[in-house]
Amino acid sequence: MPIGGEPYIPEYITVHLGTPASNAPNVTVSFADYIKNVASSEIYPTWPEDAIRANVYAQTSFALNRIYNEWYRSMGYDFDITNSTAFDQSFVNGRDIFDNISRIVDDQFNSYVRRQGNIEPLFTAYCDGVQVSCAGLSQTGTVTLANRGLSPFQILQYYYGNDIGIVENAPVRIPAPSYPGRPLSVGDSGNEVQGMQARLNRISRSYPAIPRIDPVNGVFNQQTQDAVRKFQQIFGLTPDGIVGNATWNRINYIYVSVKRLAELTSEGLAQSEILQQYPGVIRPGDRNSAVMSIQYYLSILARFYNEIPPVEMDGIFGSATESAVRAFQRLYGLPEDGIVGRQTWQALDRAYTDVIDSVGLLEGGVVPYPGEVLARGSRGENVRQLQEFLSYISSSTGSIPNVAVDGVFGPATENSVRTFQRIFGLAETGVVGAATWNAIASEYAALRQGETRVTGQAPGADIGIG
């Protein structure tokens, strides 16, 4: 459940049976069983059901907040939460579970509380209300409110405010750390880089010595390296400008701290702060570059899966594209709604990447899009391949500026890309996504085969981000 992504319910949670720094064992249990244990340890099964439900919502959200923010893992611990009530929730390993509490948890363990307009599970602070009082929910107080006739949601509003909401039926997934599994450095690009840039920019508001990164585009360039180095200097890390596991975790920890995401008074994480390449929900009737990218992915997948009908790359989400989306969703076990939300978008991206990893040239000699957004600051073999395309197109037609084939996406490469996009009716962004790559690669392949396209006739109208 990476910070900045959409929350989900983890299949399991690892609990440290002691205070955070104690030499105590960890246990890993299913998330539902964990909540059942906490509820059975903290409240009474004889309480009114509405009071029990309100407490389960709070207990669930508290635990999800710890996991979502990687609160302990960002400090280097190998667990998600402790069973110390001085820090977290009561968990008694191996205890018996009350039947009615088990039933209630089964009914709502995949629902949680959040502030309206925010995406992260609310840090639903609470205390027993007898021995300890706090600014959040009073567990014994929920009994009084339930006896007055308040519903579970009204009880939560009483303690956390009227601007909360309940997210119901959140997806259940295998938990995965946000760290991409490899160090990030100059030349890298993608969602992980983009999220890291956004977090550093927020941290820089509290630590102005850290230079801001502009734009936040998912490309690890010199500006990003400078910000990383200054962050490392301030927080006592090796200032190498590389985001390894230690730097990644420290960035997450400081980000959560400055935004108070692990506090009841959280600044909140808005939907607009999920800075990933996913452009938002795409649905029938839309006309933009995101539709073009979807059509490109589907057109490639259709060559390998008979279940997916081929689509034309025109940037228009019409009935043919909807049918192909539904076929893909059916094939991959996704909700078959014909709409490309985050889950379908990410599944498309993964499926496409799996395919191109196993194939060479496509029909007509076209090199498939490598699955990496390329922009100024990118480096590597994919950039070199792009430059080879651009250089050949330039020498064959003279229509775009020539570029050096050096594997570095600098100003000259950006200028050549922009010129190509302008001539071929694509959005002039200088950024190479699926649609722009396909247009450039197709033009290169056609020229190599002696079938030069008519200027302006791109294989589809790229209407947005390239």
Side-chain angles (χ1 to χ4, degrees):
M1 190 191 299
I3 300 172
E6 290 284 0
Y8 59 84
I9 307 300
E11 287 189 1
Y12 50 83
I13 182 173
T14 298
V15 187
H16 185 66
L17 302 180
T19 59
S22 66
N23 184 23
N26 296 340
V27 295
T28 298
V29 298
S30 77
F31 186 76
D33 286 344
Y34 169 78
I35 297 299
K36 292 176 183 180
N37 189 303
V38 169
S40 295
S41 301
E42 292 186 343
I43 60 179
Y44 292 96
T46 54
W47 284 3
E49 181 168 319
D50 285 345
I52 294 175
R53 287 186 176 276
N55 277 275
V56 169
Y57 279 126
Q59 291 157 342
T60 301
S61 299
F62 185 106
L64 289 177
N65 182 276
R66 284 287 195 242
I67 298 171
Y68 183 81
N69 293 320
E70 298 183 330
W71 180 247
Y72 288 110
R73 293 190 183 275
S74 67
M75 289 187 275
Y77 293 115
D78 61 349
F79 51 83
D80 301 305
I81 201 166
T82 76
N83 76 338
S84 169
T85 55
F87 296 89
D88 298 304
Q89 301 168 304
S90 178
F91 174 91
V92 181
N93 191 33
R95 68 153 298 144
D96 291 332
I97 306 301
F98 298 116
D99 288 341
N100 65 324
I101 286 179
S102 178
R103 173 181 55 79
I104 290 170
V105 172
D106 282 337
D107 184 47
Q108 67 179 63
F109 80 94
N110 57 346
S111 301
Y112 60 89
V113 184
R114 70 177 177 187
R115 292 267 181 237
Q116 294 174 10
N118 295 343
I119 66 166
E120 82 280 3
L122 179 65
F123 184 76
T124 42
Y126 63 85
C127 51
D128 65 9
V130 178
Q131 298 181 4
V132 179
S133 298
C134 61
L137 177 143
S138 165
Q139 291 179 312
T140 54
T142 63
V143 176
T144 301
L145 296 177
N147 286 332
R148 290 182 190 170
L150 272 65
S151 69
F153 184 61
Q154 290 172 325
I155 293 172
L156 294 171
Q157 285 182 312
Y158 179 87
Y159 290 110
Y160 299 121
N162 292 328
D163 62 341
I164 62 168
I166 302 292
V167 176
E168 297 182 337
N169 298 316
V172 179
R173 300 178 189 168
I174 296 174
S178 63
Y179 179 61
R182 60 180 178 83
L184 301 176
S185 59
V186 171
D188 287 325
S189 61
N191 294 343
E192 295 89 356
V193 175
Q194 194 170 12
M196 180 264 296
Q197 291 172 323
R199 290 192 284 276
L200 281 173
N201 273 356
R202 173 58 185 87
I203 293 170
S204 73
R205 286 167 48 189
S206 301
Y207 295 87
I210 299 173
R212 286 187 61 80
I213 302 166
D214 186 22
V216 173
N217 59 3
V219 177
F220 200 127
N221 51 20
Q222 184 62 52
Q223 190 181 48
T224 303
Q225 185 183 64
D226 291 342
V228 170
R229 278 187 171 147
K230 180 55 68 173
F231 176 90
Q232 291 169 327
Q233 290 172 0
I234 291 173
F235 292 100
L237 302 166
T238 302
D240 56 10
I242 298 172
V243 181
N245 195 30
T247 297
W248 179 276
N249 285 337
R250 194 64 175 167
I251 289 173
N252 281 352
Y253 179 77
I254 299 301
Y255 176 72
V256 169
S257 297
V258 298
K259 285 182 71 70
R260 305 187 308 280
L261 296 179
E263 301 175 30
L264 183 56
T265 56
S266 169
E267 177 182 304
L269 187 63
Q271 189 75 31
S272 60
E273 294 179 79
I274 303 182
L275 296 171
Q276 298 182 343
Q277 292 169 19
Y278 166 62
V281 176
I282 310 105
R283 60 184 75 246
D286 287 347
R287 296 168 174 248
N288 52 44
S289 66
V291 175
M292 174 70 72
S293 293
I294 291 166
Q295 292 169 330
Y296 176 77
Y297 287 145
L298 290 169
S299 67
I300 301 300
L301 292 170
R303 304 184 189 192
F304 299 90
Y305 298 101
N306 293 331
E307 297 89 340
I308 301 175
V311 295
E312 181 182 355
M313 292 178 57
D314 58 6
I316 302 171
F317 201 134
S319 59
T321 300
E322 182 181 358
S323 295
V325 169
R326 288 182 179 274
F328 172 82
Q329 291 170 328
R330 187 164 56 250
L331 182 63
Y332 278 77
L334 301 170
E336 190 181 334
D337 57 9
I339 296 172
V340 181
R342 182 178 297 276
Q343 187 179 15
T344 298
W345 176 277
Q346 292 176 341
L348 271 170
D349 184 67
R350 286 194 301 270
Y352 173 80
T353 300
D354 289 342
V355 164
I356 66 168
D357 282 346
S358 62
V359 301
L361 297 179
L362 301 175
E363 183 180 347
V366 176
V367 176
Y369 172 59
E372 174 191 10
V373 175
L374 304 176
R376 187 187 291 203
S378 297
R379 295 170 180 261
E381 285 305 310
N382 292 331
V383 175
R384 184 180 297 276
Q385 181 73 78
L386 171 69
Q387 291 169 330
E388 288 180 0
F389 295 159
L390 294 170
S391 179
Y392 189 84
I393 294 170
S394 175
S395 62
S396 299
T397 67
S399 60
I400 63 174
N402 198 10
V403 297
V405 182
D406 57 7
V408 179
F409 199 125
T413 301
E414 181 179 15
N415 183 38
S416 186
V417 169
R418 286 183 179 276
T419 303
F420 181 94
Q421 290 170 326
R422 183 168 59 252
I423 292 173
F424 279 80
L426 307 171
E428 192 179 337
T429 62
V431 176
V432 180
T436 295
W437 175 282
N438 185 59
I440 292 172
S442 297
E443 178 68 9
Y444 168 81
L447 288 170
R448 296 288 297 197
Q449 296 174 5
E451 301 173 353
T452 307
R453 299 187 195 280
V454 177
T455 298
Q457 297 299 310
D462 192 32
I463 311 172
I465 60 174

